[in-house]
Every structure is written in C-alpha cells, then in structure tokens.
Amino acid sequence: MQRKFTENFSDFLLIIIGSAIIGLAYNLFLIPHHIVPGGITGLSITINYLLKTPIGMVVIIFNIPLFLLGIKTLGKTYGLKSLIGIILSSLFIDFFTYIVPIPSATGNQILAAVYGGVLLGAGLGIVFRGQGSTGGTDIIGQVLNRFTNLSTGMGILITDFLIISLAAAVFRKLEAALYGYLALFLSSKVIDLISEGWSFVRAV
C-alpha cells in the first residue's frame, strides 16, 4: 500500500514538473515565433494566430473528444494520470501567458526552434516517465494503428505533418513549416532519450 502510494506520488510529481516545462517551452520559444511543432497545441497556436483565443483552453477543448475516443477505443490506457497531464500542460501554457507572463528568450527563430524543441521534448519525456500523457496526436496515432496498417509512430508523424503544413499556409511562410519540422524532430529525439534512457546500442 505504502509502495503504491509512493509510486503514484512520484508519477504525479513528474507529470507536474513535465507539464510546467512544456508550458515554458511554448512561451519562451515556440509561441512568440509562431513555431508549430505539430500536435493539438500546434493547431491551437494556429487558431490563436487567427482568433486570439487562449491556447491552453483550446487544447483542453480539442482533447476532450480525443480523450473520450482514446478511452473508448484503447480502454483504460488513458486514465487519470493522462487526464491530469492534458489539463496541467494546457493550464501551464496559459499560466505563463496571462497569469505570470514571461517574455521570449530569444529573437532568433532558429534558436527558438532548437531550444523550444529540446525543452518541449524534455517536458513530454518527463510526463511520459510519470506514466502520463498530454493527449493529442498520440491518441490519434494509436487509434489509427488500431484500425489501419499504419504504425503508431507513422500515424503521429502524418498528423503532425498535416498540422505543421496547415500552420505554414495560415502564416503564409514556408519557413514556418521548416522551423516546425526542426522542433518536432528535436523534441522526438529528446522524448526518446528521457523515456527510454541512454545506451550505447541505441546511440549506434
């Protein structure tokens, strides 16, 4: 009983820390430069550009049907910890935007894509280590995997590619897509590093 409580407490702590890092990644680097690294948050950044809606709140709204779809299709894989991850990561984005506003860390878009992607990957990796999820395209990827021949990773990649391409069309800048792909690539690498750990074989 004590061991179970300790494990759950550690997981929730990781989810809180990871969610805060995600909020910082978006507000320090990605949002100010309109860099969309895929995902539901990327779609929300695009909508924010058009309608000035709160990004975190839109993320939660989009994730409600996706979360229910995940529960229905994948079972209890996306339970309480994932729901907490979705809500906290979204609230931290708006917290650092409206409650405790933080300025952009750099005026250089390349640096913003690099450091934003790395910091975002670190936050997501920590959330995953806590057995949580931030919802979004990973649910879509797993649902596509269930009903098609696509792997989960390929499903996520296709979805993120479409979201980044849509953002580039809305921003009317091809470079927006290039920065988005760079941030997506770096974040995925850091997620793997934190989630699975470092090993000589994996490095090779």
Side-chain angles (χ1 to χ4, degrees), residues 52-88:
K52 307 303 180 186
T53 50
I55 293 172
M57 191 58 63
V58 173
V59 171
I60 292 176
I61 292 171
F62 274 127
N63 266 305
I64 290 173
L66 287 176
F67 182 80
L68 295 176
L69 176 64
I71 291 291
K72 182 177 180 180
T73 307
L74 307 171
K76 295 182 178 180
T77 305
Y78 288 90
L80 178 61
K81 292 177 184 177
S82 293
L83 182 61
I84 290 174
I86 292 170
I87 293 173
L88 279 181

Side-chain angles (χ1 to χ4, degrees), residues 74-120:
L74 307 171
K76 295 182 178 180
T77 305
Y78 288 90
L80 178 61
K81 292 177 184 177
S82 293
L83 182 61
I84 290 174
I86 292 170
I87 293 173
L88 279 181
S89 59
S90 302
L91 290 180
F92 270 116
I93 291 173
D94 283 351
F95 176 79
F96 290 126
T97 302
Y98 302 108
I99 309 301
V100 183
I102 55 176
S104 173
T106 177
N108 186 295
Q109 279 193 301
I110 296 178
L111 290 178
V114 171
Y115 284 96
V118 169
L119 197 61
L120 176 61

